[in-house]
Amino acid sequence: MAILDRLFRRGDDRAALNPLYSAIVRAGRAPHWYVEGRVADSIDGRFDMLATILSIVLVRMESSEALRAPSVHLTELFIDDMDGQLREIGIGDVVVGKHVGKLLGALGGRIGAMREGMAPGGDLPAALVRNLYRGVAPGADALAHVEARLRALAAGLAATSDTALLAGALEAA
C-alpha cells in the first residue's frame, strides 16, 4: 500500500491535513461540551461531538473551491481514525468495515443537519437534539451552550483563511 500511496501522493495530501484533524479532535474533547453542554461523556457521545465539529468544518470547506479536494482527504483521516478506534475497542476485521460505513453515514447525516441548521431560518437546536443528543433534549441551558459555541465556531471558520484553516486554526471551539 505504501507504494500505491506514494504513486498517487495520497499520503502527502493527507499528512498535510493532520494539524486540522488534530485541532478538530482537540475541540471535540473540550470538557465544556460534556459539562455545560451535557453531551454524553461516552464513546457514542464523543463520536457525536467529533462528527458534529467535523461536519461544521467540512461545510466551511465546501465554500472554497480550493478546499474541496482537501475536504476529501480530511474525511479519509476521519475514516482511518474511526477504523483504528473500532479495532482498539475490539471490533474485528470481519465487521469493522460495516461499522466504519455506519459511522461515515452518520457523518453524512450530520453534515446535512448542520448545513440546514446553520442556514438562515434553520432550526439548529432541533438538529442538535436529533444528531448530537440522539433525540433526548439535554435541557435549555445545555442546548443553548452548545448552540452558541457551535455558531461561534462556524462564524470563526467563516472568517478564517483557507491557509489558516488547513494549519488547524479553529477559533471558539
Side-chain angles (χ1 to χ4, degrees):
M1 278 305 230
I3 292 172
L4 292 176
D5 283 345
R6 277 184 286 184
L7 283 174
F8 295 106
R9 297 185 45 224
R10 191 172 143 186
D12 293 342
D13 293 340
R14 290 171 54 184
L17 290 158
N18 282 336
L20 176 55
Y21 189 72
S22 294
I24 292 167
V25 171
R26 275 192 312 277
R29 290 181 176 163
H32 70 87
W33 301 119
Y34 308 97
V35 178
E36 291 91 347
R38 294 193 205 144
V39 173
D41 193 3
S42 63
I43 290 173
D44 288 342
R46 288 185 177 257
F47 167 80
D48 292 337
M49 197 67 244
L50 173 64
T52 299
I53 292 172
L54 177 59
S55 68
I56 291 170
V57 171
L58 289 170
V59 169
R60 158 55 178 94
M61 293 176 85
E62 288 175 351
S63 70
S64 171
E65 184 68 37
L67 294 181
R68 292 209 175 120
S71 73
V72 172
H73 298 305
L74 183 63
T75 303
E76 289 173 346
L77 286 175
F78 169 75
I79 292 167
D80 287 349
D81 185 22
M82 293 303 102
D83 181 275
Q85 297 296 327
L86 288 168
R87 291 174 192 279
E88 192 171 298
I89 62 171
I91 305 294
D93 288 341
V94 176
V95 295
V96 76
K98 187 178 201 177
H99 285 282
V100 169
K102 286 180 183 178
L103 296 177
L104 194 53
L107 175 63
R110 281 192 183 75
I111 291 169
M114 292 302 105
R115 189 183 298 121
E116 291 171 16
M118 294 277 191
D123 190 355
L124 183 56
L128 292 173
V129 169
R130 259 189 338 271
N131 292 281
L132 183 58
Y133 295 103
R134 298 188 179 214
V136 179
D141 290 344
L143 189 57
H145 172 81
V146 171
E147 179 184 11
R149 294 299 293 258
L150 291 177
R151 286 191 186 280
L153 173 62
L157 289 171
T160 301
S161 72
D162 291 356
T163 303
L165 179 61
L166 292 175
L170 293 184
E171 300 298 323

